[in-house]
């Protein structure tokens, strides 16, 4: 046998062996190993190409051609086997990982309004029906608006009622209540009549505990005009209580002191937990305090630009977090701004 025939036979042997092996393979990894062994740089086939220049001139074309054919054939077979294996793997996956289309989808978490916002909006709605508009005023206030013009002079002991956050700029405070909004509204609208609700965040330098928080909302109520009487105040608050706490709820107004009203009072509603009999929620009193109120003090009216001989007005201030706590029996005010979704999601 000539050297040429020898080489060709060798190539045919090689092809047969490679193809026989290929059909028995059934994984991607084995396939890659096969490729390295039969088509890689140091494979027997590649050696044939490398040795070709050393072969006698007349046999080079035929051997070379043959080697190319073998190479092309092996590559084609490799591709189709590789495709088969991938198909088989896919089929197997589809079999094993059947989609269960009856499984309910995952509901994306959905945000909601903060419970205080909900209650605030309820308060706005009730007062809107009685002709009150929302009037917003700043949380950073002047000492003058927060105290002085509300008839609380510097060094007056009444200032002790509000533990205040003072800031480095003299004469500027974080408002301790929404009452300074009364001054702003009056100064904007005088001498026109006013009916506004003044909502928003207030701040106090408090030792926090279950019933004290250093930030909380208030809603202030203010009506100014001619011939506004205590009866109007009582009627308005009574109507509010009926709508907020339920038809038929009993209320009372007790005298109390606030420097910016005269006379001043506090309004209680009958405890809706025990119906007035006395329980831990109302601390056995049968009544729950819900707001402070009174007739706008003549000094405050004048500071707002209204002549107290001609005009009168009433005001009230309430805490929506407190209302919410009573309604939902929340026992710790710190929950409102602790940002724990487990709390917030309940409403
Ligand atoms: N500003 C008072 C406070 O924060 C609450 C208050 C009481 C507001 C009586 C009023 C009022 O308008 O008439 O304690």
């Amino acid at each position: 046998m000539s050297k040429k025939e020898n080489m060709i036979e060798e190539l045919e042997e090689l092809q047969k062996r490679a193809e026989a092996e290929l059909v028995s393979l059934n994984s991607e990894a084995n396939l890659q190993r096969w490729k390295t062994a039969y088509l890689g740089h140091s494979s027997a086939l590649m050696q044939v190409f490398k040795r070709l220049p050393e072969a006698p001139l007349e046999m080079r074309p035929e051997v070379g051609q043959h080697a190319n054919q073998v190479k092309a054939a092996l590559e084609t077979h490799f591709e189709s086997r590789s495709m088969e294996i991938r198909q088989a793997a896919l089929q197997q996956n589809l079999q094993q990982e059947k989609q269960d289309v009856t499984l309910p989808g995952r509901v994306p978490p959905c945000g909601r309004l903060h419970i205080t916002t909900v209650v605030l909006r309820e308060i706005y709605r009730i007062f809107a029906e009685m002709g009150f508009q929302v009037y917003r005023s700043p949380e950073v206030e002047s000492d003058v608006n927060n105290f002085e013009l509300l008839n609380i002079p510097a060094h007056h002991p009444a200032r002790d009622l509000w533990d205040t956050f003072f800031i480095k700029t003299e004469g500027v405070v974080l408002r301790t209540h929404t009452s300074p909004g009364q001054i702003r509204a009056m100064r904007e609208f005088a001498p026109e009549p006013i009916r506004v609700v003044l909502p928003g965040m207030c701040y106090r330098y408090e030792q926090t505990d279950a019933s004290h928080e250093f930030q909380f909302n208030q809603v202030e109520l203010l009506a100014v005009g001619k011939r506004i009487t205590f009866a109007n105040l009582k009627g308005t608050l009574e109507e509010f209580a009926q709508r907020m706490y339920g038809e038929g709820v009993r209320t009372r107004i007790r005298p109390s002191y606030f420097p910016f009203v005269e006379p001043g009072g506090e309004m209680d509603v009958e405890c809706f937990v025990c119906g007035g009999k006395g329980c831990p929620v109302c601390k056995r009193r049968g009544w729950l305090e819900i707001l402070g109120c009174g007739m706008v003090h003549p000094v405050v009216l004048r500071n707002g630009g209204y002549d107290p001989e001609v005009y009168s007005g009433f005001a009230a201030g309430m805490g929506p977090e407190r209302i919410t706590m009573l309604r939902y029996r929340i026992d710790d005010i710190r929950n409102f701004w602790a940002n724990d979704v487990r709390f917030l999601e309940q409403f």
Side-chain angles (χ1 to χ4, degrees):
M1 204 179 340
S2 73
K3 190 167 181 190
K4 181 176 78 186
E5 280 161 348
N6 219 344
M7 280 184 89
I8 286 175
E9 209 166 281
E10 209 179 292
L11 281 168
E12 279 166 357
E13 273 299 303
L14 187 69
Q15 184 175 1
K16 246 188 255 160
R17 201 163 4 105
E19 283 175 357
E21 225 173 276
L22 191 62
V23 285
S24 69
L25 298 182
N26 47 23
S27 79
E28 290 267 5
N30 287 338
L31 210 58
Q32 285 310 319
R33 243 171 270 135
W34 179 93
K35 195 178 181 187
T36 318
Y38 290 103
L39 291 166
H41 284 305
S42 39
S43 61
L45 181 60
M46 292 306 147
Q47 294 308 315
V48 172
F49 285 110
K50 274 188 202 142
R51 277 173 11 225
L52 215 49
E54 299 154 23
L57 199 59
E58 71 284 359
M59 61 184 272
R60 281 186 214 166
E62 206 180 330
V63 173
Q65 209 177 14
H66 209 88
N68 268 329
Q69 280 164 2
V70 171
K71 182 166 175 274
L74 288 186
E75 277 168 354
T76 315
H77 287 144
F78 171 82
E79 280 311 322
S80 65
R81 184 67 194 137
S82 159
M83 185 78 93
E84 276 169 24
I85 287 176
R86 254 176 292 158
Q87 280 296 334
L90 183 64
Q91 278 306 324
Q92 201 183 358
N93 269 351
L94 288 175
Q95 286 288 324
Q96 284 172 351
E97 297 168 20
K98 271 211 186 98
Q99 297 275 339
D100 180 358
V101 291
T102 65
L103 195 68
R106 278 181 208 149
V107 182
C110 186
R112 70 188 73 195
L113 292 176
H114 191 285
I115 181 58
T116 304
T117 307
V118 174
V119 171
L120 275 169
R121 290 186 180 182
E122 205 174 326
I123 297 171
Y124 303 158
R125 188 171 41 81
I126 294 171
F127 284 117
E129 286 171 6
M130 295 191 257
F132 288 82
Q133 283 180 292
V134 173
Y135 184 92
R136 297 196 180 267
S137 69
E139 294 176 16
V140 178
E141 255 303 0
S142 64
D143 183 286
V144 170
N145 283 344
N146 195 82
F147 293 118
E148 213 108 333
L149 297 174
L150 289 171
N151 200 25
I152 316 166
H155 313 301
H156 193 284
R159 286 213 175 188
D160 290 349
L161 293 172
W162 296 274
D163 298 299
T164 310
F165 280 115
F166 292 95
I167 67 164
K168 282 189 179 147
T169 313
E170 193 148 352
V172 177
V173 300
L174 294 184
R175 68 173 174 194
T176 57
H177 51 178
T178 44
S179 303
Q182 291 189 28
I183 299 293
R184 289 178 179 270
M186 284 192 274
R187 289 191 165 181
E188 181 172 339
F189 298 118
E192 297 299 318
I194 298 178
R195 271 190 222 174
V196 287
V197 280
L198 306 142
M201 198 60 91
C202 303
Y203 303 87
R204 290 197 198 163
Y205 184 59
E206 297 274 8
Q207 182 90 44
T208 57
D209 63 26
S211 51
H212 294 86
E213 179 57 293
F214 62 81
Q215 67 172 78
F216 54 88
N217 282 282
Q218 275 192 350
V219 176
E220 189 91 7
L221 194 66
L222 175 69
V224 180
K226 288 179 181 163
R227 290 184 295 281
I228 288 186
T229 67
F230 198 91
N232 298 137
L233 169 63
K234 230 185 135 188
T236 306
L237 294 181
E238 177 67 24
E239 184 61 24
F240 168 72
Q242 298 300 316
R243 297 207 197 175
M244 192 76 198
Y245 295 93
E247 206 75 36
V249 68
R250 290 199 301 153
T251 62
R252 67 176 186 187
I253 294 178
R254 289 175 287 106
S256 181
Y257 171 68
F258 297 98
F260 29 88
V261 282
E262 181 57 38
E266 276 170 325
M267 191 182 200
D268 296 341
V269 293
E270 178 183 58
C271 178
F272 41 75
V273 177
C274 62
K277 286 192 215 78
C279 71
V281 174
C282 60
K283 303 204 182 81
R284 315 241 158 257
R285 290 190 202 114
W287 295 94
L288 299 165
E289 184 209 312
I290 56 161
L291 52 82
C293 62
M295 299 307 290
V296 181
H297 197 288
V299 168
V300 177
L301 277 175
R302 198 172 298 116
N303 290 340
Y306 290 86
D307 178 356
E309 297 297 327
V310 181
Y311 297 92
S312 56
F314 66 72
M318 64 189 82
E321 282 90 358
R322 206 181 131 65
I323 293 175
T324 312
M325 286 174 80
L326 293 173
R327 187 188 268 182
Y328 296 101
R329 320 263 170 88
I330 296 163
D331 57 11
D332 195 323
I333 194 171
R334 289 168 294 192
N335 284 325
F336 285 97
W337 311 110
N339 258 349
D340 187 337
V341 284
R342 290 169 302 179
F343 169 76
L344 297 171
E345 269 170 353
Q346 295 176 56
F347 307 102

